[in-house]
Amino acid sequence: MLRHLSSTMLLVLTLGEPSYAQFPREGVAEIPNGQSSAFAGAWEIGFPEGDGMINGDPPVTCEAPVLLQPAGEQSLVYVSSTGQKVAFELTEFSGRTVWFPATGSSLIAVWTNPDEFFSYTVDLATGRARWDDPRVYRRCL
């Protein structure tokens, strides 16, 4: 009976594991975290791709990209596709880069390669990253 119960619990734990476990939480080692120069350029913003995922068109494309402009070694200006600007201070933490705005929610950036990173918002009330709802920034080349 106990063996059956343990097998059942293991199955429930395995099946109950969140699907976002596949999204990266730590960046690749060769890209420096907390440094604005790595982010410099024009970016498309889309969604993760993979088995079982259905995504529409990216909300931001290279025809009207987001611009990330260094404003010092650890500062970045985010220019939206509509021209709005937000300044962020950057810091390295646990293999990722945290973006801190003057007001509002911070973001966590996790590099997957030099031309792509996942971005996660942080809940203001709890301080927890929303690991289950990333956006993917892809460099416009």
Side-chain angles (χ1 to χ4, degrees), residues 39-44 62 65-68 138-141:
F39 294 98
W43 297 86
E44 171 182 278
C62 289
V66 161
L67 301 176
L68 300 180
R138 295 177 180 99
R139 193 181 303 274
C140 297
L141 303 174

Side-chain angles (χ1 to χ4, degrees), residues 18-26 47-51 53 55 96 110 112 118-120 130-136:
S19 63
Y20 61 84
Q22 66 191 350
F23 299 142
R25 293 188 182 200
E26 188 172 321
F47 303 100
E49 296 174 353
D51 293 337
M53 293 183 188
N55 294 320
R96 45 193 170 246
V110 178
T112 56
F118 278 54
S119 173
Y120 305 89
R130 293 183 179 102
W131 296 116
D132 61 340
D133 190 25
R135 296 300 174 265
V136 181

Side-chain angles (χ1 to χ4, degrees), residues 112-129:
T112 56
N113 68 62
D115 295 320
E116 180 182 274
F117 65 91
F118 278 54
S119 173
Y120 305 89
T121 57
V122 176
D123 184 287
L124 273 173
T126 65
R128 295 178 191 244

Side-chain angles (χ1 to χ4, degrees), residues 24-104:
R25 293 188 182 200
E26 188 172 321
V28 295
E30 60 271 9
I31 302 170
N33 285 297
Q35 301 297 309
S36 62
S37 59
F39 294 98
W43 297 86
E44 171 182 278
I45 303 174
F47 303 100
E49 296 174 353
D51 293 337
M53 293 183 188
I54 300 172
N55 294 320
D57 293 332
V60 176
T61 65
C62 289
E63 286 76 40
V66 161
L67 301 176
L68 300 180
Q69 304 169 331
E73 239 179 82
Q74 293 183 303
S75 298
L76 189 67
V77 175
Y78 179 108
V79 183
S80 75
S81 57
T82 61
Q84 295 178 321
K85 296 180 180 182
V86 178
F88 290 92
E89 293 299 317
L90 308 180
T91 188
E92 186 279 330
F93 179 75
S94 292
R96 45 193 170 246
T97 299
V98 182
W99 300 15
F100 292 104
T103 61

